[in-house]
Structure formats: C-alpha cells, structure tokens
Amino acid sequence: MTLTFVVVVLFLGPTTDFMTMVFGGTSIYMHFAGPLLAIVSFCFIEKIYRIEKKFLIPSVIPTVMYAVIYVTMVIFIGENNGGWYDFYGFNIGGFWYISCVAVILASLGLAALLRLIHNKMIKNIE
C-alpha cells in the first residue's frame, strides 16, 4: 500500500490531475487514506514482533507479480490488441524497463524504511 501512496502522490498526481488522482471519488480511500492508515498502523500501533531482514525480499513479490502483468498487458500485448492502456505512464519514451526496475527498487526501499521505523518503535517500548 505504501508503494501505491508514493506512486500516486509523487508521480501520478504531479503528472496528471492531482486532485482527481488523490482526492477524486474513491481515490481518496484507495490512494491516500488507506495506505496512510496502513503505514501508521504498521509503524506505530502493531508491536507484536520485529520484522527480520530476511522478509524484505519477499515483500517485493506482489510488486514483481504486478509488474509482470502490467508489462505483459501494456508492452507485449498492447492496448490495440486487447491489452491495457499505459495508465501509469511508465512506458513514456519506451523506457518501461527503467520504470520497472525503479518501481521494484522503490518497493524494496520502502519496505526497508517501514521495517526500520516499525522495529525502532518496538525498541522504544521495551
């Protein structure tokens, strides 16, 4: 959910209509409130156990799976053949492979950051 929040707020919002992407209709729940509440909950409320480093790699599996589907539908099949329109704009200039790697690395970085904050908050209550 953090990746959703970051992509919408830092990429899609500024490159499209920010108010519609972030606050329009159900977008406020899907792109803003839900992810923000999940971040707050994970980092500051859930204090049952520490997250080990070995869980960082599996944390990017959903991102990789979605990237495979997105690239298949947008790049390999294409909108004209029944695939998807490039609604994220990740293939601007044909650089989808750079976007793909950047999003996966961002997902890993965000997971590491959230793990750090989560574990730090647990340490503070012990």
PDB file of all heavy atoms in Angstrom, residues 90-110:
ATOM      1  N   PHE A  90       4.284   4.626 -17.369  1.00  0.00           N
ATOM      2  CA  PHE A  90       5.609   4.076 -17.101  1.00  0.00           C
ATOM      3  C   PHE A  90       6.382   3.746 -18.381  1.00  0.00           C
ATOM      4  O   PHE A  90       7.568   3.446 -18.314  1.00  0.00           O
ATOM      5  CB  PHE A  90       5.521   2.821 -16.234  1.00  0.00           C
ATOM      6  CG  PHE A  90       5.171   3.088 -14.792  1.00  0.00           C
ATOM      7  CD1 PHE A  90       4.622   2.096 -14.019  1.00  0.00           C
ATOM      8  CD2 PHE A  90       5.399   4.317 -14.215  1.00  0.00           C
ATOM      9  CE1 PHE A  90       4.306   2.324 -12.683  1.00  0.00           C
ATOM     10  CE2 PHE A  90       5.090   4.566 -12.890  1.00  0.00           C
ATOM     11  CZ  PHE A  90       4.548   3.557 -12.120  1.00  0.00           C
ATOM     12  N   ASN A  91       5.716   3.795 -19.530  1.00  0.00           N
ATOM     13  CA  ASN A  91       6.396   3.495 -20.790  1.00  0.00           C
ATOM     14  C   ASN A  91       6.653   4.755 -21.615  1.00  0.00           C
ATOM     15  O   ASN A  91       6.897   4.675 -22.808  1.00  0.00           O
ATOM     16  CB  ASN A  91       5.587   2.478 -21.610  1.00  0.00           C
ATOM     17  CG  ASN A  91       6.380   1.954 -22.786  1.00  0.00           C
ATOM     18  OD1 ASN A  91       7.579   1.781 -22.701  1.00  0.00           O
ATOM     19  ND2 ASN A  91       5.701   1.712 -23.886  1.00  0.00           N
ATOM     20  N   ILE A  92       6.663   5.889 -20.990  1.00  0.00           N
ATOM     21  CA  ILE A  92       6.925   7.138 -21.706  1.00  0.00           C
ATOM     22  C   ILE A  92       8.305   7.067 -22.344  1.00  0.00           C
ATOM     23  O   ILE A  92       9.290   6.757 -21.683  1.00  0.00           O
ATOM     24  CB  ILE A  92       6.821   8.354 -20.761  1.00  0.00           C
ATOM     25  CG1 ILE A  92       5.378   8.522 -20.268  1.00  0.00           C
ATOM     26  CG2 ILE A  92       7.306   9.626 -21.450  1.00  0.00           C
ATOM     27  CD1 ILE A  92       5.198   9.585 -19.223  1.00  0.00           C
ATOM     28  N   GLY A  93       8.365   7.284 -23.622  1.00  0.00           N
ATOM     29  CA  GLY A  93       9.624   7.225 -24.357  1.00  0.00           C
ATOM     30  C   GLY A  93      10.149   5.818 -24.567  1.00  0.00           C
ATOM     31  O   GLY A  93      11.277   5.627 -24.985  1.00  0.00           O
ATOM     32  N   GLY A  94       9.330   4.805 -24.249  1.00  0.00           N
ATOM     33  CA  GLY A  94       9.752   3.420 -24.412  1.00  0.00           C
ATOM     34  C   GLY A  94      10.679   2.923 -23.312  1.00  0.00           C
ATOM     35  O   GLY A  94      11.309   1.878 -23.451  1.00  0.00           O
ATOM     36  N   PHE A  95      10.749   3.652 -22.217  1.00  0.00           N
ATOM     37  CA  PHE A  95      11.646   3.290 -21.120  1.00  0.00           C
ATOM     38  C   PHE A  95      10.955   2.502 -20.021  1.00  0.00           C
ATOM     39  O   PHE A  95      11.245   2.671 -18.834  1.00  0.00           O
ATOM     40  CB  PHE A  95      12.296   4.547 -20.540  1.00  0.00           C
ATOM     41  CG  PHE A  95      13.202   5.252 -21.502  1.00  0.00           C
ATOM     42  CD1 PHE A  95      12.861   6.496 -22.000  1.00  0.00           C
ATOM     43  CD2 PHE A  95      14.384   4.664 -21.919  1.00  0.00           C
ATOM     44  CE1 PHE A  95      13.691   7.150 -22.899  1.00  0.00           C
ATOM     45  CE2 PHE A  95      15.223   5.312 -22.808  1.00  0.00           C
ATOM     46  CZ  PHE A  95      14.877   6.554 -23.305  1.00  0.00           C
ATOM     47  N   TRP A  96      10.083   1.582 -20.397  1.00  0.00           N
ATOM     48  CA  TRP A  96       9.342   0.790 -19.411  1.00  0.00           C
ATOM     49  C   TRP A  96      10.270  -0.019 -18.524  1.00  0.00           C
ATOM     50  O   TRP A  96       9.980  -0.221 -17.347  1.00  0.00           O
ATOM     51  CB  TRP A  96       8.332  -0.128 -20.114  1.00  0.00           C
ATOM     52  CG  TRP A  96       8.969  -1.131 -21.025  1.00  0.00           C
ATOM     53  CD1 TRP A  96       9.224  -0.970 -22.362  1.00  0.00           C
ATOM     54  CD2 TRP A  96       9.460  -2.420 -20.676  1.00  0.00           C
ATOM     55  NE1 TRP A  96       9.842  -2.083 -22.858  1.00  0.00           N
ATOM     56  CE2 TRP A  96       9.997  -3.002 -21.846  1.00  0.00           C
ATOM     57  CE3 TRP A  96       9.501  -3.159 -19.493  1.00  0.00           C
ATOM     58  CZ2 TRP A  96      10.562  -4.272 -21.869  1.00  0.00           C
ATOM     59  CZ3 TRP A  96      10.059  -4.422 -19.510  1.00  0.00           C
ATOM     60  CH2 TRP A  96      10.585  -4.968 -20.688  1.00  0.00           C
ATOM     61  N   TYR A  97      11.375  -0.480 -19.060  1.00  0.00           N
ATOM     62  CA  TYR A  97      12.293  -1.324 -18.287  1.00  0.00           C
ATOM     63  C   TYR A  97      12.969  -0.527 -17.165  1.00  0.00           C
ATOM     64  O   TYR A  97      13.230  -1.063 -16.090  1.00  0.00           O
ATOM     65  CB  TYR A  97      13.344  -1.982 -19.194  1.00  0.00           C
ATOM     66  CG  TYR A  97      14.022  -1.028 -20.146  1.00  0.00           C
ATOM     67  CD1 TYR A  97      15.210  -0.404 -19.798  1.00  0.00           C
ATOM     68  CD2 TYR A  97      13.456  -0.736 -21.387  1.00  0.00           C
ATOM     69  CE1 TYR A  97      15.824   0.484 -20.661  1.00  0.00           C
ATOM     70  CE2 TYR A  97      14.065   0.145 -22.260  1.00  0.00           C
ATOM     71  CZ  TYR A  97      15.241   0.757 -21.890  1.00  0.00           C
ATOM     72  OH  TYR A  97      15.846   1.641 -22.745  1.00  0.00           O
ATOM     73  N   ILE A  98      13.216   0.746 -17.384  1.00  0.00           N
ATOM     74  CA  ILE A  98      13.779   1.597 -16.331  1.00  0.00           C
ATOM     75  C   ILE A  98      12.719   1.833 -15.261  1.00  0.00           C
ATOM     76  O   ILE A  98      13.011   1.733 -14.060  1.00  0.00           O
ATOM     77  CB  ILE A  98      14.293   2.931 -16.909  1.00  0.00           C
ATOM     78  CG1 ILE A  98      15.480   2.671 -17.835  1.00  0.00           C
ATOM     79  CG2 ILE A  98      14.671   3.902 -15.791  1.00  0.00           C
ATOM     80  CD1 ILE A  98      15.956   3.884 -18.601  1.00  0.00           C
ATOM     81  N   SER A  99      11.496   2.128 -15.687  1.00  0.00           N
ATOM     82  CA  SER A  99      10.401   2.314 -14.735  1.00  0.00           C
ATOM     83  C   SER A  99      10.184   1.057 -13.907  1.00  0.00           C
ATOM     84  O   SER A  99       9.979   1.129 -12.696  1.00  0.00           O
ATOM     85  CB  SER A  99       9.100   2.666 -15.462  1.00  0.00           C
ATOM     86  OG  SER A  99       9.220   3.871 -16.151  1.00  0.00           O
ATOM     87  N   CYS A 100      10.241  -0.083 -14.554  1.00  0.00           N
ATOM     88  CA  CYS A 100      10.009  -1.363 -13.885  1.00  0.00           C
ATOM     89  C   CYS A 100      11.052  -1.586 -12.786  1.00  0.00           C
ATOM     90  O   CYS A 100      10.707  -1.906 -11.638  1.00  0.00           O
ATOM     91  CB  CYS A 100      10.053  -2.481 -14.916  1.00  0.00           C
ATOM     92  SG  CYS A 100       9.475  -4.054 -14.305  1.00  0.00           S
ATOM     93  N   VAL A 101      12.305  -1.423 -13.113  1.00  0.00           N
ATOM     94  CA  VAL A 101      13.375  -1.597 -12.125  1.00  0.00           C
ATOM     95  C   VAL A 101      13.246  -0.552 -11.015  1.00  0.00           C
ATOM     96  O   VAL A 101      13.392  -0.871  -9.828  1.00  0.00           O
ATOM     97  CB  VAL A 101      14.763  -1.522 -12.801  1.00  0.00           C
ATOM     98  CG1 VAL A 101      15.880  -1.473 -11.770  1.00  0.00           C
ATOM     99  CG2 VAL A 101      14.966  -2.706 -13.739  1.00  0.00           C
ATOM    100  N   ALA A 102      12.951   0.693 -11.382  1.00  0.00           N
ATOM    101  CA  ALA A 102      12.821   1.763 -10.383  1.00  0.00           C
ATOM    102  C   ALA A 102      11.692   1.479  -9.397  1.00  0.00           C
ATOM    103  O   ALA A 102      11.861   1.675  -8.189  1.00  0.00           O
ATOM    104  CB  ALA A 102      12.586   3.095 -11.087  1.00  0.00           C
ATOM    105  N   VAL A 103      10.561   1.010  -9.902  1.00  0.00           N
ATOM    106  CA  VAL A 103       9.426   0.727  -9.018  1.00  0.00           C
ATOM    107  C   VAL A 103       9.735  -0.450  -8.100  1.00  0.00           C
ATOM    108  O   VAL A 103       9.407  -0.417  -6.912  1.00  0.00           O
ATOM    109  CB  VAL A 103       8.137   0.484  -9.838  1.00  0.00           C
ATOM    110  CG1 VAL A 103       7.026  -0.072  -8.976  1.00  0.00           C
ATOM    111  CG2 VAL A 103       7.691   1.779 -10.502  1.00  0.00           C
ATOM    112  N   ILE A 104      10.383  -1.474  -8.609  1.00  0.00           N
ATOM    113  CA  ILE A 104      10.743  -2.627  -7.769  1.00  0.00           C
ATOM    114  C   ILE A 104      11.756  -2.214  -6.707  1.00  0.00           C
ATOM    115  O   ILE A 104      11.623  -2.586  -5.530  1.00  0.00           O
ATOM    116  CB  ILE A 104      11.240  -3.798  -8.632  1.00  0.00           C
ATOM    117  CG1 ILE A 104      10.070  -4.354  -9.454  1.00  0.00           C
ATOM    118  CG2 ILE A 104      11.866  -4.893  -7.769  1.00  0.00           C
ATOM    119  CD1 ILE A 104      10.465  -5.324 -10.545  1.00  0.00           C
ATOM    120  N   LEU A 105      12.748  -1.430  -7.085  1.00  0.00           N
ATOM    121  CA  LEU A 105      13.724  -0.943  -6.100  1.00  0.00           C
ATOM    122  C   LEU A 105      13.078   0.000  -5.086  1.00  0.00           C
ATOM    123  O   LEU A 105      13.412  -0.040  -3.891  1.00  0.00           O
ATOM    124  CB  LEU A 105      14.895  -0.251  -6.800  1.00  0.00           C
ATOM    125  CG  LEU A 105      15.829  -1.168  -7.576  1.00  0.00           C
ATOM    126  CD1 LEU A 105      16.901  -0.353  -8.311  1.00  0.00           C
ATOM    127  CD2 LEU A 105      16.474  -2.198  -6.664  1.00  0.00           C
ATOM    128  N   ALA A 106      12.138   0.824  -5.540  1.00  0.00           N
ATOM    129  CA  ALA A 106      11.407   1.695  -4.618  1.00  0.00           C
ATOM    130  C   ALA A 106      10.607   0.865  -3.625  1.00  0.00           C
ATOM    131  O   ALA A 106      10.564   1.182  -2.431  1.00  0.00           O
ATOM    132  CB  ALA A 106      10.484   2.636  -5.397  1.00  0.00           C
ATOM    133  N   SER A 107       9.994  -0.192  -4.110  1.00  0.00           N
ATOM    134  CA  SER A 107       9.234  -1.082  -3.233  1.00  0.00           C
ATOM    135  C   SER A 107      10.136  -1.694  -2.162  1.00  0.00           C
ATOM    136  O   SER A 107       9.790  -1.738  -0.981  1.00  0.00           O
ATOM    137  CB  SER A 107       8.570  -2.181  -4.068  1.00  0.00           C
ATOM    138  OG  SER A 107       7.799  -3.026  -3.258  1.00  0.00           O
ATOM    139  N   LEU A 108      11.307  -2.134  -2.567  1.00  0.00           N
ATOM    140  CA  LEU A 108      12.270  -2.707  -1.620  1.00  0.00           C
ATOM    141  C   LEU A 108      12.747  -1.641  -0.625  1.00  0.00           C
ATOM    142  O   LEU A 108      12.834  -1.902   0.578  1.00  0.00           O
ATOM    143  CB  LEU A 108      13.451  -3.307  -2.375  1.00  0.00           C
ATOM    144  CG  LEU A 108      14.503  -4.024  -1.529  1.00  0.00           C
ATOM    145  CD1 LEU A 108      13.895  -5.199  -0.794  1.00  0.00           C
ATOM    146  CD2 LEU A 108      15.650  -4.485  -2.416  1.00  0.00           C
ATOM    147  N   GLY A 109      13.034  -0.463  -1.121  1.00  0.00           N
ATOM    148  CA  GLY A 109      13.467   0.631  -0.250  1.00  0.00           C
ATOM    149  C   GLY A 109      12.400   1.040   0.751  1.00  0.00           C
ATOM    150  O   GLY A 109      12.691   1.280   1.928  1.00  0.00           O
ATOM    151  N   LEU A 110      11.159   1.107   0.294  1.00  0.00           N
ATOM    152  CA  LEU A 110      10.059   1.459   1.191  1.00  0.00           C
ATOM    153  C   LEU A 110       9.858   0.381   2.257  1.00  0.00           C
ATOM    154  O   LEU A 110       9.612   0.690   3.426  1.00  0.00           O
ATOM    155  CB  LEU A 110       8.774   1.673   0.393  1.00  0.00           C
ATOM    156  CG  LEU A 110       8.746   2.930  -0.473  1.00  0.00           C
ATOM    157  CD1 LEU A 110       7.584   2.886  -1.452  1.00  0.00           C
ATOM    158  CD2 LEU A 110       8.680   4.177   0.399  1.00  0.00           C
TER     159      LEU A 110
END
